[in-house]
Amino acid sequence: MKRLPRIEQYGLIGDMQTSAHVCDDGSIDWLCLPRFDSPAVFAGLLGTQKHGTWQIRPASPAGRSGSGAVAERRYCGDSLVLESVWRTPTGSVRVLDFMPPRDEAPQVVRIVEGLAGEVPMVSAMRPRPGYGSVSPWIHEVGGRMVAEAGADALWLDTCVQQVEKDGVIVSAFTVAAGQSAAFVLSWCPSHAAAPEIPDPEAALAETLTFWQGWMQECTYDGPYREPVVRSLIALKAMTYGPSGGVVAAPTTSLPEEIGGGRNWDYRFTWLRDASTTLAALLGTGYRQEAQAWRRWLLRAVAGDPENLQIMYGITGERDLRERELPWLPGYEESTPVRVGNGAADQLQLDVYGEVIETLYLAHQSGVAHCADTAVLHRRLIEHLVERWQEPDEGIWEIRGVRRHFVHSKVMAWVAIDRTIRLVEAGALDMNLDSLVELRETIHREVCTQGFDPVRNTFTQSYGSTELDAATLLIPRVGFLPPDDPRVIGTVDAVRRELATPDGLVRRYPTVGDHAGVDGLKGDEGTFILCSFWLVDALALTGRLDEAHTLFERLLALRNDLGLLAEEYDPVQQRQLGNFPQAFSHMGLIQSARLLHQLSTRSSPHRGAACVPAPGSQKRRPRQTCKDLTSQHA
């Protein structure tokens, strides 16, 4: 049985409708078809090989399963085409893994190319639909192998011989220098006609062209371009193209603590995550994504903003009921494995601030307020006016007693503040006097009830002593100026009580075997986004050198492909949580932009002013994959 790799050993490929996780041993261990939130057909990531995998690798000399990882791997230029190279005693070989952006049936394309000598290879695909619970009917149709189960049909096309053995489609072949063999897995409904036989070389050229064209829109040209570009591509890969919705992550139940129960399904569109992701995209030149997301928002919320959910399905579904999959043993025995997410029914008042902040940033970036958006905006504010004084579950989606979370109140202030700015700009028609009065009321209450004057820090909630890393956002959103002593005291308190010596930040205190403020037992790793928030807070409060040092340390946590999970365990030095995580990559982009701005300007900028005006940064010529474009493009 294959040893389960660490989370950071995986790379991501995708087509803006779903994605696959490719391990550095050539195995695809996670693939949901046809959408991000569909049941997985390969679920080995949350179990074993018997729950579904597809491995292409060099065969060992004795013909047994090899265990060696690739010698090197990378993405081809600014794309999501993954290149893996193996070197063996008889030669070297390259495998290109990608998913062509598509309008119809999803495909996974794997092209094996001989680089030197001759290398015996093996492809072993074990499809297991239904999150690894179903053994499909595998048979040959017209020289093509197909695996059918219920509503799903998986067609595997290749130029080499295929045989079925014990539920596995196996191909053994040899590739010499200059030769290639392609494998294409296509999904379609089982009742539909077979998909067309694909052209893998044309698909490769089209995929490279798509990504190179998309990256031409990037306006960021700062000193951290490589990690910013890689993060932008990861965020784009987590966007569901047909609707404009953005998933928080393309996986479920990767644990926040190895062996623990903090395992959640992130394959949905959180208003908060999507809003902050779109803010990062807007700040780097991508307005089309903002327009698509706004249309998604209008459809999802529909005519019912009074019953605003904090998250929806990727096409606006409201029913996201949570359930457990007992047949999956979980990643490194971290159970339960969950699909769906019960947090959809929570009250999280901060989402009003994130949504309205994004609408404001879109306006600042040249995306005009439309009449429908204005109606939604007014109704959201009307509802927030009625509910902002209620306790809620907050940004971290606690499963304990509701509280008056400071961050929630601050983001309610942001919602009112950005609305005032739009009214003053003539983009929105609302009563300005009442909004200004409410903004002052919220500000006064937070500073009175959410601040501990003895320790000189904002706390997690009214009357509590616990700290919360989310209070690091207070200067970033402009609630208080960065040089306010209360801001500096909060930053110092978070560093002292929630950060490791290396500056990695936990969200809030947990208490192991006892249920903490979040109502859950167990602990978790440091939260990568919170660590980027500390970078921002240090930079804004004038400690730019310390901010750069911490930022470089966080960049070193990325895997060899530039990808970040949700959390990091500084003791075991490994990534934790769902992977890759939109929050983490959004934080990287925003911190890189802020550091660049503060390093090149004479004074720090507050709140939304941190976003440069459209066109204020030079466009960078597109980059190509030199090794491939000459052969395939």
Side-chain angles (χ1 to χ4, degrees), residues 566-579:
E566 182 180 31
E567 299 186 2
Y568 186 79
D569 183 341
V571 176
Q572 298 188 37
Q573 297 185 339
R574 61 183 301 182
Q575 296 194 29
L576 295 173
N578 284 307
F579 174 86

Side-chain angles (χ1 to χ4, degrees), residues 512-526:
D513 293 335
H514 302 282
V517 65
D518 57 13
L520 299 169
K521 295 182 179 180
D523 294 309
E524 62 178 12
T526 59

Side-chain angles (χ1 to χ4, degrees), residues 490-514:
T490 299
V491 175
D492 291 341
V494 169
R495 293 181 82 183
R496 183 174 60 250
E497 299 186 30
L498 293 181
T500 68
D502 288 336
L504 305 182
V505 182
R506 292 177 293 142
R507 295 186 290 178
Y508 50 83
T510 55
V511 288
D513 293 335
H514 302 282

